[in-house]
Amino acid sequence: MTAPVRRAGVFAVICTLSLAVPLSGPRVGAALAGIVLLAAYVITDGPLFELLAYPGDYEDSRLYGLITFVLSGVALGLMATKASLPVSVFVATLLLVGYGNLGEQLVRLRIETSVVRVVGFCLAATGAAIAGQAITQSLTGSAVASSLPSIVFLAASGAFLAALLRDVLLRSDDPIVVLSVGLLLWLLAELEPSIGAWEIVVALVVTAALGYASYALETASIAGMLTGILLGLLTIVLGGYGWFAVLISFFAIGGISTKFRYDRKETLGVAEDNNGARGSGNVLGNAAIALVAVLGYAASDAGFLPPDPSLFLFTFTGSIATAMSDTLSSEIGSVFETPRLITTLEPVDPGTDGGVTWQGELAGIAGATIVAAIAYALFPEVGVVGAAIIVAAGIVGMTVDSLLGATLEGTFLGNQGVNFLATLSGALISAVLVVYVSILG
């Protein structure tokens, strides 16, 4: 057994101590955490230090990695005992991170492929989180069977978020992972899924398969794949398959457009990096507003927010129409050599921020129309007027993206910031127009 596996095993055991809270109460859990913290502070050398130390711990001969990890667990524990964070979420989060890491290290003994290690992490993390929630609810007298859909949903969502954060952060940043996963699951625990456990399993299979396909086709990096899977899962469970169809249309068509005349784009110097594979930043820049809309819809549907849930549907489709319009406009328009700056209409070099072509504008309009057509077909509340609003929102958002590119990108904003603000503008335009039409009607 290698040192990384032994280290992961010890951390998994430490995470298992979180079960002391539902088993014996918060005081016992706090006492155990105090013992671990004291041990981490006094152990400064020797075999145990070598086993538990991260690379940065050697400079001061102090197990800072273990100390901060335990402190992050203590912070979640305080939220569970002093606030409304469910104890099952507290336990699930720690087991998820601890055993997910152990699963990844065990897989790594045989296979070094990055994507396989990620799969190992996600499977072990999901299983541990399911077990942690089930055990906690059994110990506290809650019915496990009726909570199974929520248990599976929370476990899978937490596993994908943890895998994503671990891919973009350092291994010693697990305290950040613990807190981030715990807070997300706390939020999702308030928005119980409206579909059954088996339907959630189907959603997991569908999103994971499509996510892996995007990675295999080199349209997404591992981080982009994980981000897409998490977004897809949340969209299906909290919104429905109609919402997911709108979302996946952007990822599929946008990914294909990235490959459109890729050699030509490389020659012009406007091709996406990594052979066109999109990372988590690109995915979130284009879909963060859509995710907020899904969460808003679920919160509104559950009675936590006052607006009509359908308003969030138009916010969602408006943001996706913008993302689709902007992506197609950029990826198709960039292969033509005579773009013009949108603010002055002066000819500029291909790839210049804010440069547009008539071919790209037509492609962008087509992209917004595709999103509107899908929404019209799947959602009765959209109608002809609603579809027109979605197209208008996409065109406005695409134009805002170009204007921001010509004025602020490169000085005050990066590409992902521009994408975020553009999709936000498309979402707001869609929502405002819907409210305006409803007032007139």
Side-chain angles (χ1 to χ4, degrees):
M1 187 179 294
T2 64
V5 174
R6 291 196 297 270
R7 180 185 298 111
V10 172
F11 271 81
V13 170
I14 293 173
C15 291
T16 307
L17 296 177
S18 63
L19 287 169
V21 174
L23 184 64
S24 304
R27 291 186 178 180
V28 174
L32 290 174
I35 292 172
V36 175
L37 283 172
L38 179 61
Y41 186 79
V42 300
I43 296 173
T44 58
D45 57 18
L48 196 54
F49 180 86
E50 294 291 331
L51 174 63
L52 297 175
Y54 287 106
D57 295 339
Y58 287 94
E59 183 176 351
D60 295 331
S61 296
R62 194 74 67 192
L63 295 173
Y64 291 124
L66 177 58
I67 291 172
T68 55
F69 184 83
V70 175
L71 287 176
S72 66
V74 169
L76 277 187
L78 288 173
M79 295 178 198
T81 55
K82 302 298 182 181
S84 60
L85 187 147
V87 175
S88 59
V89 166
F90 160 69
V91 173
T93 299
L94 290 178
L95 294 184
L96 182 155
V97 175
Y99 283 91
N101 183 39
L102 178 59
E104 178 183 353
Q105 295 302 330
L106 289 173
V107 169
R108 195 172 186 175
L109 288 175
R110 296 182 177 274
I111 303 173
E112 278 290 338
T113 307
S114 297
V115 69
V116 177
R117 296 205 311 268
V118 168
V119 171
F121 176 90
C122 290
L123 290 176
T126 301
I130 290 174
Q133 292 177 87
I135 292 171
T136 301
Q137 294 192 11
S138 296
L139 292 173
T140 55
S142 301
V144 176
S146 60
S147 303
L148 191 57
S150 179
I151 287 174
V152 175
F153 173 51
L154 293 179
S157 300
F160 287 125
L161 177 61
L164 170 62
L165 292 175
R166 286 167 60 86
D167 185 73
V168 299
L169 299 174
L170 299 175
R171 288 292 180 264
S172 56
D173 290 331
D174 272 347
I176 299 175
V177 177
V178 168
L179 292 174
S180 300
V181 171
L183 292 174
L184 173 69
L185 298 191
W186 188 1
L187 169 63
L188 296 181
E190 301 295 328
L191 306 174
E192 294 188 1
S194 58
I195 59 178
W198 283 112
E199 293 173 293
I200 292 177
V201 171
V202 171
L204 272 170
V205 172
V206 170
T207 54
L210 292 174
Y212 179 75
S214 68
Y215 173 77
L217 294 172
E218 298 184 338
T219 61
S221 64
I222 288 180
M225 174 189 72
L226 291 169
T227 306
I229 292 173
L230 179 59
L231 286 173
L233 178 63
L234 295 179
T235 301
I236 291 176
V237 175
L238 299 179
Y241 278 98
W243 292 59
F244 179 68
V246 175
L247 180 68
I248 201 64
S249 70
F250 162 64
F251 286 126
I253 297 173
I256 293 171
S257 70
T258 302
K259 299 295 185 180
F260 173 72
R261 298 184 66 179
Y262 190 80
D263 292 340
R264 173 66 171 166
K265 294 174 187 175
E266 284 188 313
T267 302
L268 295 173
V270 297
E272 290 280 346
D273 296 332
N274 302 318
N275 199 32
R278 297 180 181 271
S280 59
N282 186 281
V283 175
L284 286 175
N286 283 292
I289 298 300
L291 175 59
V292 172
V294 171
L295 295 174
Y297 172 81
S300 179
D301 196 43
F304 294 117
L305 293 176
D308 182 354
S310 65
L311 183 63
F312 290 101
L313 172 62
F314 282 96
T315 303
F316 175 84
T317 50
S319 70
I320 296 297
T322 297
M324 180 82 88
S325 296
D326 175 53
T327 299
L328 294 189
S329 175
S330 299
E331 295 297 341
I332 294 178
S334 62
V335 300
F336 299 95
E337 296 188 61
T338 57
R340 293 179 178 272
L341 196 65
I342 191 171
T343 52
T344 64
L345 298 183
E346 295 177 354
V348 292
D349 294 330
T352 300
D353 296 330
V356 298
T357 63
W358 67 266
Q359 297 93 339
E361 293 297 294
L362 287 179
I365 295 171
T369 303
I370 291 172
V371 173
I374 295 173
Y376 176 79
L378 296 177
F379 302 105
E381 59 266 46
V382 170
V384 175
V385 174
I389 288 174
I390 294 170
V391 173
I395 295 172
V396 171
M398 173 182 65
T399 305
V400 168
D401 186 281
S402 298
L403 290 171
L404 290 174
T407 55
L408 300 180
E409 188 169 357
T411 54
F412 298 100
L413 292 173
N415 179 254
Q416 310 313 329
V418 169
N419 289 340
F420 175 82
L421 292 177
T423 53
L424 175 60
S425 69
L428 292 176
I429 287 294
S430 184
V432 168
L433 289 177
V434 167
V435 171
Y436 180 72
V437 169
S438 65
I439 292 174
L440 291 180

